[in-house]
Amino acid sequence: EGTWRWTAVPLDLDREGPFRLVELEHREGSRVLLSILHLAMDGGALMSLFRELAEVLAGHEPSLPAGRRRSVTQLLRGVPPFLWPSLAREVLRELGVPRRLAAVSRRERPFPPGNPRGLPFWCTVTAELDQVKKRAQAGGGTVTDVLVAAIARASARRTTTGPAAILLTVDLRRFLRRPASVVANLSGTSHVFVPREDLATLDAAIARVASITRPQKRRPIGLASSLLPAFLMGWLPHDRLRRIGLEHLREQHHASFEKLLVLTNIGVWDPHLESLGSRVLAVSGVGPLMPGIPAPFVALGSHRNRLRIVVSTQGPLDPRGIVEYAGDLQADVGGEMTMPVNVSRLMPAIV
């Protein structure tokens, strides 16, 4: 509950800057809570930060300190010329995403509001990583594909027509010429549209998702999604056009959250925390906690063969809807579900 209370305290940019580090007492030692402004760092960058933090705590000089320059320009410099035609095709495909989203139904059973104070809440589903990997391999997919399939099935339960749409974050650091941990926040997104007829069982959904995501991994799809906002922010010829373009982009994104669900795969924590050895008992990432979004976020990460799936919101969504959604994922993936504070105790504070 102490973790939840500190998470509910907003960052004070004048006093704390874009991050806050708090040490809390825990029955097995200490719990370290690191809160980071999403503008300063994205989910894919947490590994870079935790590698650096673990090395500092262990008394070592950081082996790969995060770089100061964090622009899309670095990515473009790392794209080999033979990928330029593919990148151009992906940008054109990205322009067609709104048309594909138009075919996705708005949730007929939306996540209900019930958190007017905008307090954060999350549920964690913890499963054995090896078991999830076996399920993924049986369907020809990856662990991420299993979660995309489970989220698609949960999404389909809230509509009666059309495909399920998942917004999946993509780590773009593979395009960098320098070591991957040098850059702090360079992630893109890709959309996965899963036909409703392939969602009857989890195994069928995994196979369908794998057939969609496997070709995407060979293409610069996430980089294309980052180029369009960069164009609107910096390349349009007039400041007023840039403002109009960005406002349109914001409205489009907000409307899309009434249809799609989001998954961020943070990745495997173990190699980035190896300087601390066995002193780290467990680690997970929560968020992003963004108020006003009409859909919860799912963050995925693993440590010591434990897969942690964190479903989170920061209002206006009712925590009971988050518990239901996490239960849907647990039903497909397995494992056990926990939450930082009991919902019945939380509701009076939220309302």
Side-chain angles (χ1 to χ4, degrees):
E1 188 169 334
T3 301
W4 175 81
R5 292 188 182 280
W6 267 108
T7 306
V9 177
L11 283 167
D12 185 345
L13 295 181
D14 294 329
R15 187 171 57 88
E16 298 174 300
F19 68 90
R20 176 176 60 219
L21 190 65
V22 177
E23 183 181 4
L24 304 173
E25 291 186 2
H26 191 267
R27 61 182 179 275
E28 298 181 73
S30 296
R31 171 170 289 167
V32 177
L33 175 63
L34 179 60
S35 302
I36 310 168
L37 192 68
H38 193 29
L39 185 64
M41 183 164 287
D42 56 30
L46 284 176
M47 297 303 184
S48 303
L49 175 64
F50 270 77
R51 173 190 289 272
E52 189 170 345
L53 178 61
E55 290 173 340
V56 170
L57 291 175
H60 305 148
E61 285 292 323
S63 56
L64 292 170
R68 293 181 179 273
R69 298 181 60 195
R70 304 172 182 178
S71 69
V72 178
T73 306
Q74 289 190 71
L75 294 173
L76 292 176
R77 289 180 183 143
V79 177
F82 72 85
L83 271 181
W84 290 351
S86 178
L87 179 58
R89 287 193 296 270
E90 292 305 324
V91 172
L92 292 176
R93 284 195 181 101
E94 196 68 23
L95 290 172
V97 166
R99 177 182 56 81
R100 298 194 67 184
L101 274 174
V104 178
S105 301
R106 278 190 170 86
R107 282 186 283 273
E108 298 156 20
R109 190 166 63 87
F111 293 95
N115 185 356
R117 292 184 58 191
L119 295 177
F121 182 76
W122 65 92
C123 286
T124 303
V125 176
T126 305
E128 293 295 325
L129 180 59
D130 286 343
Q131 295 299 318
V132 180
K133 281 183 177 179
K134 288 179 182 178
R135 193 73 181 266
Q137 291 165 358
T142 64
V143 171
T144 302
D145 293 334
V146 173
L147 264 295
V148 171
I151 292 171
R153 280 166 48 82
S155 176
R157 295 185 186 103
R158 296 178 176 272
T159 60
T160 55
T161 60
I166 313 300
L167 184 67
L168 177 64
T169 62
V170 180
D171 189 345
L172 302 179
R173 287 171 292 174
R174 68 185 185 276
F175 292 109
L176 294 168
R177 292 176 180 175
R178 301 176 66 191
S181 294
V182 172
V183 176
N185 59 340
L186 287 172
S187 292
T189 58
S190 66
H191 290 80
V192 181
F193 298 91
V194 189
R196 177 173 293 272
E197 57 268 23
D198 295 316
L199 296 174
T201 67
L202 180 62
D203 290 334
I206 293 171
R208 187 68 175 96
V209 169
S211 72
I212 297 169
T213 59
R214 198 178 298 117
Q216 289 183 348
K217 294 167 187 172
R218 298 191 293 267
R219 300 171 359 217
I221 187 167
L223 182 54
S225 72
S226 296
L227 285 176
L228 287 180
F231 173 78
L232 292 173
M233 286 186 286
W235 298 343
L236 286 177
H238 193 281
D239 181 62
R240 184 170 295 178
L241 287 177
R242 288 195 289 269
R243 292 181 184 179
I244 293 173
L246 286 173
E247 186 61 33
H248 173 72
L249 193 64
R250 276 193 292 266
E251 290 178 0
Q252 185 184 85
H253 280 177
H254 192 276
S256 69
F257 283 121
E258 296 177 353
K259 298 181 174 185
L260 53 74
L261 293 171
V262 184
L263 172 63
T264 297
N265 187 354
I266 299 173
V268 182
W269 294 93
D270 302 69
H272 302 277
L273 300 173
E274 60 185 3
S275 58
L276 290 176
S278 61
R279 285 176 283 180
V280 179
L281 300 180
V283 60
S284 62
V286 177
L289 296 172
M290 300 171 64
I293 302 297
F297 290 88
V298 177
L300 173 67
S302 67
H303 179 247
R304 291 189 172 184
N305 198 41
R306 301 286 281 171
L307 185 69
R308 287 181 172 81
I309 306 156
V310 184
V311 184
S312 64
T313 184
Q314 189 170 353
L317 305 183
D318 190 317
R320 289 168 291 196
I322 307 306
V323 174
E324 179 189 355
Y325 179 26
D328 288 341
L329 300 184
Q330 181 190 22
D332 272 346
V333 179
E336 58 185 22
M337 183 169 63
T338 58
M339 58 196 77
V341 60
N342 187 280
V343 174
S344 61
R345 293 178 56 190
L346 181 63
M347 290 309 295
I350 281 181
V351 178

